[in-house]
Amino acid sequence: MRRRTLRRLLRNPWATGGLVVICLYLVIALLAPWISPHDPSQGSLRGRLRPPAWVEGGTTQNLLGTDQLGRDTLSQVMYGARSSLRVGIGVVLLSGLIGGGLGLLAGYVGGTTDDILSRAADWTLAFPFLILAIMLMGMLGPGITNLTLVLSLAGWPHFFRLIRSEAIVESQKAYVEAARALGRSTVLIMVSEIARNVFHTFMVLATIRLGIAILSEASLSYLGFGVPPRIPAWGTMISGGQHYVDSAWWLSAVPGAAILVLVLAVNLFGEGLRDALDPRLQD
């Protein structure tokens, strides 16, 4: 079954291309300290606003140009991938663990537990996301850890609602009834039986939420409530370059393109993964 799913996924050229791009970003993020041409935090006012190498006045020393402080744009983009992927993956793992775990509990146990957890999820979703995130980041202060926690707090209801609905359906099936008849505990049934059968749904949602988390991190960093200015981040780069759009377009265009390509790749891979795991489309 797993091999068949993998074959279906790899036969989708868009999903395969998305996976390749995601892996490339991961490699760049992991190896940034060793493969980046310059220190992203060091600049030179003599070399400020230098254009990319293919534009008149550019040099191969700074392939994507420099910013208003003379810092190498390519190096900043490479290190910015570390920030975005660290936050994005952290948010998906944390919100998925919280929302998925609570969704399993609510869907299987039901009753008062389900009512309380469902109302908590509804209350969280009732707050406009951006306002809630800005309010919490204003209280906690900028930082990768704080940003991950805030985005996870805003994102767990999405995992909760989907996994809850799946768990309700699965809890009525024969294999769960058989596990109950054998005297297995509630926790064991949720973990070893139901969770295993809803994992494919979880993975599809996780890929979608990864792209949203990356965009959310960039948005909050752009507004000054995300990654601290001392740490390279794509949103911060776009914010810093918005005042130089006419004279130095690459300051905002390059990190914007990096966000666009990564989020598009994540969404293409997520679509392909959904099709590969859909039992209605199985060979």
Side-chain angles (χ1 to χ4, degrees):
M1 184 67 177
R2 293 179 179 178
R3 292 181 179 179
R4 183 185 302 175
T5 300
L6 181 60
R7 287 198 300 268
R8 287 179 57 83
L9 181 63
L10 294 179
R11 283 203 301 266
N12 186 329
W14 294 106
T16 303
L19 179 60
V20 170
V21 172
I22 294 171
C23 292
L24 179 61
Y25 271 79
L26 286 171
V27 170
I28 292 174
L30 291 173
L31 301 181
W34 297 277
I35 64 176
S36 61
H38 302 280
D39 185 339
S41 62
Q42 290 186 352
S44 173
L45 294 180
R46 291 184 177 181
R48 66 188 300 269
L49 300 180
R50 182 174 293 166
W54 63 87
V55 178
E56 183 180 358
T59 66
T60 55
Q61 185 179 359
N62 304 107
L63 292 176
L64 296 180
T66 60
D67 65 4
Q68 64 273 23
L69 298 178
R71 296 172 298 189
D72 183 62
T73 303
L74 176 59
S75 300
Q76 286 192 305
V77 169
M78 287 182 173
Y79 274 82
R82 294 169 65 90
S83 301
S84 292
L85 288 172
R86 180 180 172 184
V87 172
I89 294 174
V91 168
V92 169
L93 291 177
L94 185 57
S95 61
L97 180 63
I98 296 173
L102 293 179
L104 282 175
L105 180 63
Y108 180 72
V109 175
T112 304
T113 301
D114 183 20
D115 291 339
I116 294 174
L117 293 175
S118 296
R119 296 297 77 74
D122 292 340
W123 292 336
T124 303
L125 291 174
F127 282 91
F129 162 74
L130 191 59
I131 295 177
L132 176 62
I134 290 176
M135 179 183 68
L136 293 176
M137 288 303 297
M139 296 170 56
L140 298 175
I144 291 180
T145 301
N146 291 342
L147 184 57
T148 302
L149 292 174
V150 168
L151 294 180
S152 299
L153 178 61
W156 75 268
H158 299 279
F159 286 94
F160 170 83
R161 298 177 75 175
L162 180 63
I163 299 303
R164 171 185 172 274
S165 63
E166 292 284 326
I168 291 175
V169 174
E170 295 296 324
S171 63
Q172 307 301 321
K173 293 186 177 180
Y175 74 90
V176 175
E177 296 293 340
R180 291 197 192 102
L182 292 173
R184 293 187 176 181
S185 65
T186 298
V187 175
L188 187 60
I189 292 174
M190 288 193 301
V191 174
S192 64
E193 302 292 341
I194 299 178
R196 183 174 59 183
N197 286 280
V198 303
F199 182 71
H200 65 282
T201 304
F202 174 88
M203 287 301 300
V204 172
L205 179 60
T207 57
I208 296 173
R209 296 304 302 178
L210 176 59
I212 294 174
I214 291 172
L215 285 174
S216 300
E217 178 274 323
S219 299
L220 290 173
S221 296
Y222 173 84
L223 296 173
F225 292 97
V227 178
R230 68 178 182 277
I231 301 176
W234 292 335
T236 306
M237 294 177 65
I238 295 175
S239 177
Q242 66 180 342
H243 303 294
Y244 301 89
V245 173
D246 294 334
S247 59
W249 53 266
W250 59 89
L251 296 184
S252 296
V254 171
I259 296 173
L260 172 64
V261 172
L262 178 56
V263 174
L264 179 61
V266 170
N267 288 336
L268 289 174
F269 175 70
E271 290 288 334
L273 183 62
R274 183 196 62 186
D275 294 341
L277 294 174
D278 192 339
R280 296 170 296 180
L281 301 176
Q282 297 295 334
D283 297 331

